[in-house]
Amino acid sequence: AQTVTQSQPEMSVQEAETVTLSCTYDTSESDYYLFWYKQPPSRQMILVIRQEAYKQQNATENRFSVNFQKAAKSFSLKISDSQLGDAAMYFCAYGETSYDKVIFGPGTSLSVIP
Amino acid sequence: KAGVTQTPRYLIKTRGQQVTLSCSPISGHRSVSWYQQTPGQGLQFLFEYFSETQRNKGNFPGRFSGRQFSNSRSEMNVSTLELGDSALYLCASSLEGSVDGYTFGSGTRLTVV
């Protein structure tokens, strides 16, 4: 069965600095999708970034970028120029077209220090 | 455009009762998924609906059920509530399926006493 692991339950970063959140996953499939979702204290989950496994180019969205290492089954999220509004729980997630559900990791709680 | 709307936001029920939660997806989104979020178990997949058909179901007892209407709105029902059903229930919609990326609602906080 597919699994998603986030080994850092909590992290902190100084405002304006860069932080990287780690994620590893396990699958025997070659075609799949990976996501990072953000859940701020207001609790509404927001899609941060999406990566298609067949694309070698790493996805980016403004200050958010990923380092996708398919062979290592690693999918880390880099947040540059961290802002107070980035403080949230971040979930790494895995999905396949063949079954319509997404598996979420346990999450990493990110604090931003002013 | 309007986001995913979940009602009610908060709910307190007694053990043994049943509850119905509602979710209105983004206009044009045909896939609706439900997740249960608890501090101990994280986000657990309940089920996914597309064009009124359940395409996938998670490992939850039969007390948990759902349906989708022709306008893509979805409801989930939990019968014979147990204390362990206390959780945040999240609804997420997407165009065709989960790999498109979800848009989540704000959730319904269910407390069973």
Side-chain angles (χ1 to χ4, degrees), chain A residues 37 39 43-44 50 102, chain B residues 9 35 37 99 102 104 106:
Chain A
Y37 284 90
Q39 188 177 37
R43 87 188 185 197
Q44 184 148 16
R50 173 179 177 268
V102 168
Chain B
R9 289 291 301 272
Y35 284 83
Q37 186 176 24
V99 295
Y102 288 140
F104 280 87
S106 296

Side-chain angles (χ1 to χ4, degrees), chain A:
Chain A
Q2 291 80 359
T3 59
V4 178
T5 302
Q6 294 178 251
S7 59
Q8 306 150 314
E10 297 180 353
M11 291 193 72
S12 62
V13 62
Q14 292 284 142
E15 197 175 2
E17 296 296 307
T18 295
V19 64
T20 299
L21 309 184
S22 301
C23 172
T24 58
Y25 57 95
D26 187 28
T27 183
S28 58
E29 301 295 324
S30 58
D31 187 18
Y32 51 87
Y33 297 77
L34 295 165
F35 311 85
W36 279 98
Y37 284 90
K38 167 186 176 182
Q39 188 177 37
S42 67
R43 87 188 185 197
Q44 184 148 16
M45 195 95 72
I46 303 164
L47 176 63
V48 175
I49 205 160
R50 173 179 177 268
Q51 174 80 43
E52 298 168 57
Y54 64 86
K55 289 186 176 179
Q56 292 187 340
Q57 186 173 6
N58 290 323
T60 62
E61 286 289 339
N62 301 313
R63 298 181 296 107
F64 298 86
S65 62
V66 297
N67 183 4
F68 174 45
Q69 301 290 326
K70 192 172 185 178
K73 296 179 183 176
S74 170
F75 184 61
S76 60
L77 175 71
K78 186 172 82 171
I79 306 174
S80 304
D81 185 26
S82 296
Q83 301 175 359
L84 295 177
D86 294 334
M89 184 73 81
Y90 286 82
F91 294 94
C92 178
Y94 168 98
E96 291 175 19
T97 306
S98 57
Y99 67 88
D100 291 284
K101 71 176 182 181
V102 168
I103 298 169
F104 286 84
T108 296
S109 179
L110 178 67
S111 301
V112 180
I113 303 166

Side-chain angles (χ1 to χ4, degrees), chain B residues 46-95:
Chain B
L46 281 156
F47 24 66
E48 190 263 359
Y49 288 89
F50 179 84
S51 292
E52 302 179 67
T53 299
Q54 185 183 89
R55 291 197 295 194
N56 206 343
K57 188 178 191 303
N59 295 322
F60 279 82
R63 301 185 296 106
F64 291 81
S65 63
R67 59 178 175 168
Q68 186 181 35
F69 302 95
S70 58
N71 62 357
S72 293
R73 191 177 72 85
S74 177
E75 289 181 347
M76 67 163 282
N77 185 275
V78 188
S79 63
T80 319
L81 284 165
E82 300 177 359
L83 295 178
D85 297 333
S86 295
L88 180 65
Y89 290 87
L90 294 169
C91 167
S93 76
S94 56
L95 278 169

